[in-house]
Amino acid sequence: MTPTGASKRLLMVMPYSQFVRKAAEAGFEVWAIWDPSLRERAYLDEVAEHARELLLTDFSDEEGLRTLIAATVRVHGIGHVLHLGAEDSMPPAYAEAEALGVSPNPATAIGVLNDKAAMRALLAAHGLSAVRSVSVATADEVSGALAGLPLPVVVKPARASGSRGVALIRDAADLDEWTERVTAAGLPGPYLIEEYLQGPEFSVETLSADGVHHVIGITAKHTTGAPYFVETSHVHPAPLADAERAAIHAVVIGLLDLAGYRFGPAHTEVILTDRGPRVVESQTRLGGDRIPLLIETASDYDIEAAIFRTLAGEPVEPPRPRHTASVGFFLLPAGELRSVTGLDAIRALPYVQTLHFPHSPGDDLPPTTNSFTRHGYVVVDAESPAEAADRIARVRGLLRVDVREAALAAPKGTHR
């Protein structure tokens, strides 16, 4: 189905370059809005290549962003406004789009799903995915709030992403370290304090159309464990029993229903505890960590393209995976990278889909404390999770680095 008239005119805020291309391939005329401080000119040129017009603004100026959206919608007869990028600029974008009658979602749905404290309150009000928690406005209030919860607990900024400012608090020293870290990083409140959920972790990708939520896939996550809990690999599809899969589907779809989410992708993280699945957080965008590529590798299903086909009116048809796909992250010692070998040998392996190693000799490798400070990744395909794990291990064995390790120890860990 090809969109026509105003319905074919799409304004996207913060669209990645492949989104603009895939929207155009689905029949849309695309106008794009970006903040030039967030990307290099060469990348913005890629965005502009498939857009009718690339408009630049400062995303931190919420009133300016809303004014630009309103003017673009009115001048060009835009039928839809869509934001699939980082969550920080979603609230003003969707508020203005809703006011103009061109939003696929109520702004309240976007707000509650992207705000961890609001999401937790919504679930608690309806008795779904029960988790003991409390929300406070400032970091100074966290200490007093801990008295109401048994340690350990997880504390995190309600509106941050990528594990920034997330910590497992076991004692006063952990709290001091966390307070210093979020203050230095400028991560504002509110902050969510909640019970420490234990069990295997999963990422659930959904695509919603007309308020009906379709589970596209579930990905298993593996971490370093305490104290850092940094993701080391993901496997798709997750090896789950039918009853476990059904329970995860139910809790995620229940959350999206309660939030009033109507259209688009959502990325929801779940821990399968001994009391059943518990939602950790959700975002109204696609999952990171190359999860869309894992889905495509395992199923030949392009979830990015499916968003725009769905917006054009095509029905959602969830894929059936035929293979296993896995991403393995490189967590190297912190310090100066003196040399690296093995990259060509890794690329030559027939099962390697993508290799990303953005470092060169002379670079300083940061300590890995969250998803942003890992040192690259490889994506492989396989016939089973076990074979995928073996292939990731072989790649890691081929990657040889010489690092002059930093003298200072890494900061204490984080937990998602």
Side-chain angles (χ1 to χ4, degrees), residues 117-202:
M119 180 209 71
R120 187 65 71 210
L122 176 69
L123 290 170
H126 293 271
L128 181 66
S129 184
V131 173
R132 293 189 301 264
S133 66
V134 62
S135 177
V136 298
T138 68
D140 291 339
E141 296 175 71
V142 171
S143 178
L146 291 179
L149 292 168
L151 296 179
V153 296
V154 172
V155 60
K156 50 192 171 184
R159 296 167 190 159
S161 61
S163 298
R164 291 176 298 168
V166 184
L168 181 68
I169 305 297
R170 297 158 295 194
D171 52 33
D174 286 338
L175 179 59
D176 290 343
E177 186 278 328
W178 173 82
T179 303
E180 181 179 344
R181 179 154 49 92
V182 296
T183 301
L187 294 169
Y191 303 99
L192 183 65
I193 308 158
E194 57 189 19
E195 65 177 288
Y196 173 38
L197 301 172
Q198 298 187 65
E201 300 183 34
F202 302 92

Side-chain angles (χ1 to χ4, degrees), residues 351-403:
Y351 48 79
V352 168
Q353 302 295 307
T354 300
L355 173 66
H356 179 65
F357 189 80
H359 305 289
S360 301
D363 288 352
D364 286 326
L365 303 180
T368 299
T369 59
N370 56 48
S371 61
F372 298 102
T373 50
R374 293 169 301 194
H375 304 122
Y377 60 82
V378 65
V379 174
V380 305
D381 63 18
E383 295 304 315
S384 68
E387 184 177 59
D390 288 343
R391 289 178 170 181
I392 293 290
R394 183 177 180 192
V395 167
R396 288 178 172 145
L398 288 171
L399 181 66
R400 302 293 181 89
V401 298
D402 179 13
V403 177

Side-chain angles (χ1 to χ4, degrees), residues 14-275:
M14 200 180 181
Y16 304 124
S17 58
Q18 74 272 19
F19 289 174
V20 180
R21 173 173 54 82
K22 292 174 183 181
E25 290 170 353
F28 289 97
E29 298 177 76
V30 182
W31 282 257
I33 296 178
W34 258 99
D35 184 334
S37 70
L38 300 178
R39 290 284 183 167
E40 295 179 352
R41 184 69 237 184
Y43 187 87
L44 296 178
D45 288 343
E46 292 179 22
V47 173
E49 183 178 350
H50 297 282
R52 286 284 303 272
E53 189 174 2
L54 173 63
L55 306 163
L56 303 178
T57 192
D58 178 359
F59 286 164
S60 67
D61 178 3
E62 294 191 0
E63 198 57 43
L65 175 58
R66 292 188 63 157
T67 298
L68 180 58
I69 291 171
T72 306
V73 168
R74 290 174 178 138
V75 168
H76 299 290
I78 300 293
H80 308 283
V81 173
L82 200 58
H83 191 326
L84 302 174
E87 297 94 308
D88 291 352
S89 52
M90 285 185 184
Y94 278 105
E96 188 61 34
E98 185 176 26
L100 295 167
V102 291
S103 174
N105 282 295
T108 54
I110 303 299
V112 75
L113 288 172
N114 290 336
D115 185 313
K116 299 172 183 64
M119 180 209 71
R120 187 65 71 210
L122 176 69
L123 290 170
H126 293 271
L128 181 66
S129 184
V131 173
R132 293 189 301 264
S133 66
V134 62
S135 177
V136 298
T138 68
D140 291 339
E141 296 175 71
V142 171
S143 178
L146 291 179
L149 292 168
L151 296 179
V153 296
V154 172
V155 60
K156 50 192 171 184
R159 296 167 190 159
S161 61
S163 298
R164 291 176 298 168
V166 184
L168 181 68
I169 305 297
R170 297 158 295 194
D171 52 33
D174 286 338
L175 179 59
D176 290 343
E177 186 278 328
W178 173 82
T179 303
E180 181 179 344
R181 179 154 49 92
V182 296
T183 301
L187 294 169
Y191 303 99
L192 183 65
I193 308 158
E194 57 189 19
E195 65 177 288
Y196 173 38
L197 301 172
Q198 298 187 65
E201 300 183 34
F202 302 92
S203 291
V204 185
E205 311 312 310
T206 53
L207 183 55
S208 302
D210 296 323
V212 178
H213 316 295
H214 305 269
V215 176
I216 303 303
I218 303 177
T219 303
K221 303 168 60 176
H222 300 107
T223 77
T224 58
Y228 298 101
F229 297 98
V230 176
E231 291 97 339
T232 58
S233 65
H234 298 330
V235 178
H236 182 90
L240 287 163
D242 289 345
E244 294 171 329
R245 185 177 296 105
I248 291 173
H249 282 209
V251 75
V252 171
I253 290 172
L255 167 63
L256 298 176
D257 278 339
L258 290 174
Y261 195 57
R262 300 287 303 167
F263 172 83
H267 167 71
T268 306
E269 298 180 8
V270 174
I271 292 179
L272 190 56
T273 74
D274 56 10
R275 295 177 288 146

Side-chain angles (χ1 to χ4, degrees), residues 252-333:
V252 171
I253 290 172
L255 167 63
L256 298 176
D257 278 339
L258 290 174
Y261 195 57
R262 300 287 303 167
F263 172 83
H267 167 71
T268 306
E269 298 180 8
V270 174
I271 292 179
L272 190 56
T273 74
D274 56 10
R275 295 177 288 146
R278 295 294 185 267
V279 174
V280 176
E281 60 186 58
S282 188
Q283 288 89 31
T284 57
R285 55 167 172 78
L286 292 169
D289 283 355
R290 300 315 307 268
I291 288 176
L293 178 57
L294 297 186
I295 294 172
E296 187 167 7
T297 300
S299 318
D300 294 328
Y301 184 89
D302 186 338
I303 188 174
E304 296 175 345
I307 295 168
F308 304 106
R309 293 197 304 267
T310 302
L311 187 62
E314 291 188 18
V316 178
E317 297 182 4
R320 294 186 176 182
R322 299 182 298 104
H323 303 284
T324 295
S326 181
V327 57
F329 299 98
F330 304 129
L331 279 64
L332 304 175

